[in-house]
Amino acid sequence: MKIDLTDTTSSKINKALVQGRRAIGTPAVGMVLTLVIVTDEENQYDALRAADEASREHPSRKLVVVKRFSRSARERSKARLDAEVRVGADAGTGETVVLRLYGEVIDHAQSVVLPLLLPDAPVVVWWPVNPPANPAKDALGKLAQRRVTDTHAAENPTEELTVRADAYTPGDTDLAWTRITPWRSMLAAALDQVDCAITSVEVEGEQHNPSSELLAMWLADRLHVPVRRSVSSGPGLTAVRLETTCGPISLHRADGSLATLSIEGQPDRAVALKRRDTSELIAEELRRLDPDDIYASALRFGVERLGGAPDPSSAGPADGSGAPGTATTATKKAPAKKAASK
């Protein structure tokens, strides 16, 4: 069921939600959180579809905030709020309100969202694109226990990682970090099978893929060994190679779906390591609303200490000399035995 409201208010939207629930015969509210999606008109469809799919696991009230910027000064001075209320099959599991803000109300989005939050329920704010420099200090971000961004959507993902590190506040997270959860789990499980000292690591992935940098920073932060970041044609992350005193360990994924785990002295194993949809990433983030200390530690390690990914257009010998095209050393502390955290 859909209810369109033009030039409306938060009070009228709440009344429309009650009316919609009664019309479809489900007056009880069984939602566990409020998910606020701050996006533009171009990306709101994909973001809402991902949120609807994630709501099967996490029934929620989804508030989609779309800021519509007018071209003329006269139109920009007119404050207006339009809303589309969706309940039942049109809203996934839960309720959906698409809010379109015009004029001066754009600068006061929190005053529109606040009356629509579920009482006594956690609030998560997600910026699929164009997040604020400091999400925790943003007017909408202040309402949330969890703030989700995605550096992969940034024009320069490597620089965006530095911005995220400088502004980090407990509760911040990044879908680029969520994408490497299966990689971190598989690498930690592989290290549990050996009793060797790790001497160096190489992380291979696409040049503009922040997940590659985050995985490299996590390994450097936890293992305290030299970590190199090298470039491949993708898709996404393609390989992690660990040199140990018992021989090499590698996790290689060439097709974005199936990976091969190789450990010295053991037969190669095929493992499922597919690239996940945005809905799966959001669902994972909604499972935990407490601060992610491991992410914070890896992020604060600093992408600059990795030296950045080399430029594939200027290939050179990967000898660690710092010449164009070479991988760079993240840190040169003593060899570590195993990852400090999974």
Side-chain angles (χ1 to χ4, degrees):
M1 180 177 181
K2 295 182 181 180
I3 302 173
D4 290 321
L5 301 172
T6 303
D7 198 6
T8 187
T9 64
S10 297
S11 176
K12 292 178 181 178
I13 295 171
N14 269 319
K15 290 179 181 178
L17 286 168
V18 174
Q19 174 189 342
R21 288 198 299 268
R22 288 176 176 171
I24 63 175
T26 56
V29 179
M31 293 165 285
V32 298
L33 59 87
T34 302
L35 176 62
V36 182
I37 306 170
V38 187
T39 185
D40 53 23
E41 198 69 64
E42 179 183 359
N43 295 281
Q44 66 91 12
Y45 175 80
D46 290 336
L48 184 53
R49 183 175 62 178
D52 283 343
E53 292 177 5
S55 71
R56 297 172 185 172
E57 181 178 341
H58 308 279
S60 57
R61 174 175 289 179
K62 299 172 289 292
L63 305 178
V64 185
V65 179
V66 181
K67 299 179 180 181
R68 301 292 299 270
F69 294 94
S70 304
R71 294 183 179 181
S72 67
R74 183 171 61 181
E75 289 296 324
R76 287 194 296 269
S77 65
K78 295 180 180 178
R80 193 179 96 218
L81 170 64
D82 293 345
E84 182 181 324
V85 177
R86 305 178 187 178
V87 293
D90 292 313
T93 305
E95 302 170 340
T96 298
V97 181
V98 181
L99 304 164
R100 290 183 170 85
L101 282 57
Y102 299 82
E104 295 178 353
V105 74
I106 289 175
D107 298 325
H108 304 282
Q110 74 281 4
S111 64
V112 175
V113 169
L114 187 58
L116 300 176
L117 300 179
L118 290 173
D120 302 320
V123 178
V124 178
V125 178
W126 171 31
W127 292 269
V129 293
N130 304 321
N134 192 332
K137 292 186 177 180
D138 179 79
L140 287 172
K142 290 179 179 179
L143 303 176
Q145 285 76 42
R146 194 77 162 169
R147 296 166 294 276
V148 183
T149 58
D150 188 357
T151 52
H152 186 75
E155 185 174 349
N156 191 321
T158 303
E159 289 184 3
E160 188 69 13
L161 284 174
T162 302
V163 173
R164 297 273 74 83
D166 292 341
Y168 177 80
T169 302
D172 292 353
T173 192
D174 184 352
L175 293 187
W177 171 257
T178 316
R179 289 184 181 96
I180 63 173
T181 298
W183 285 83
R184 295 192 297 121
S185 299
M186 191 60 63
L187 289 169
L191 291 175
D192 280 342
Q193 301 177 41
V194 299
D195 189 18
C196 308
I198 302 165
T199 57
S200 66
V201 180
E202 179 183 6
V203 176
E204 179 186 273
E206 289 178 308
Q207 182 180 18
H208 299 295
N209 185 282
S211 295
S212 301
E213 267 73 30
L214 281 168
L215 184 59
M217 290 190 289
W218 173 69
L219 288 166
D221 181 54
R222 310 310 291 182
L223 296 176
H224 308 297
V225 298
V227 176
R228 298 187 301 165
R229 165 75 167 96
S230 58
V231 166
S232 70
S233 57
L237 266 164
T238 51
V240 176
R241 303 179 184 91
L242 301 95
E243 295 296 331
T244 78
T245 54
C246 301
I249 298 174
S250 70
L251 183 60
H252 183 265
R253 183 186 69 178
D255 60 359
S257 178
L258 192 66
T260 301
L261 175 63
S262 301
I263 301 177
E264 186 74 13
Q266 300 182 21
D268 291 352
R269 281 165 283 183
V271 295
L273 206 61
K274 73 179 184 71
R275 306 187 76 191
R276 298 183 294 167
D277 295 332
T278 304
S279 59
E280 296 178 73
L281 303 177
I282 287 296
E284 178 182 328
E285 285 301 331
L286 295 181
R287 289 183 201 125
R288 57 173 299 173
L289 300 179
D290 56 314
D292 190 339
D293 295 332
I294 304 300
Y295 164 67
S297 182
L299 186 65
R300 286 169 172 162
F301 180 87
V303 69
E304 69 281 353
R305 294 173 66 182
L306 293 174
D311 184 353
S313 64
S314 54
D319 57 2
S321 62
T326 63
T328 51
T329 299
T331 180
K332 295 187 177 180
K333 297 182 182 179
K337 200 168 187 179
K338 291 185 179 180
S341 172
K342 295 181 182 180

